[in-house]
Structures are given as C-alpha cells and as structure tokens.
Amino acid sequence: MKLAVTLSALILAASSLDASAAPVRWQGEFMITASAGTCDYDPTGDFGRVRFKPGIGGENGAASQFAFFGARYASSFRLDPGMFNTNFKTVQTMYVGDGFGPVDNVVKVRFATSEPSTIKASTDFLAITGQIKGYDFMPLCTVDFKMSLVQRVE
C-alpha cells in the first residue's frame, strides 16, 4: 500500500513537471487593416486565425514566430533569435496556398504596439498591432495588421 501511494505521488509529480515545461503559446484572430505601396491586390479586410509563440526563453526558446491562417492561404513569420518590437526585422517566411514554400522576397515585420508591452508566460491576453513589409510575395507592399490572442490551454 505504501509503495502504491509513493508511486502515485511520483507519477503525479512527473506529470506536473511535463505540463509546466511545455512551450507557452497564444491563439486568436488577425485582420489586415490597411495596405500601402505597390500591392498586386488590396488585402485590407483579410482575416482569420493566428497562432503566436514568442521567444521568451525557457521551453519557448529564443525564436519568435506567428502564423496567419486565412480562408485561401496560411503564412508564417519567424524571427530567430529575437522578439518582435517597434523596429522592422527581417524574418523567415513560409507560405501555403496553391503551392508551398518560402516567400522569395525580403519580408520584414514589426509590432507597433503590444498590450501588455512585456510578454510573459503568465500573460493571458495579448493585443498586438503591426506591419509586414513584403507581404504575400509583393516586395513593395506593406500591410498593417492587428491580432487579439488568448493563451492556449493545453
């Protein structure tokens, strides 16, 4: 009996360690709110789901990344290493639509605002606005976006 209680306690402790070690991610909605420059089409009004994993260290690591899941495409943006801030930073990209692969032009992302301004593993809700230069294979197109996200529950 004593052995069973001890084993149960060890299993419970090990399972709680695994849960606390998981990466922290947020998910929610995005919308393209404006476009400027030379765009092949006007993406203003496009919206969909978004997932976000910031490079806050720990199990999240040093890379920050987010992905848009729209009605006709999915695109992801990865900054490795680093955190998005008010400066434009060149990102790695991946696009899935009629085909898939990296975007063949330079893409830069910045977060103009983030509420709260410091993202921690304990943050429940995020509201972010930003811009993407080189959006959707259009090197001279810049879009403004907003994201509303809640922390994922595993």
Side-chain angles (χ1 to χ4, degrees), residues 103-115:
V103 174
D104 57 2
N105 55 265
V106 174
V107 177
K108 295 184 177 190
V109 173
R110 77 180 192 109
F111 284 4
T113 65
S114 175
E115 185 58 40

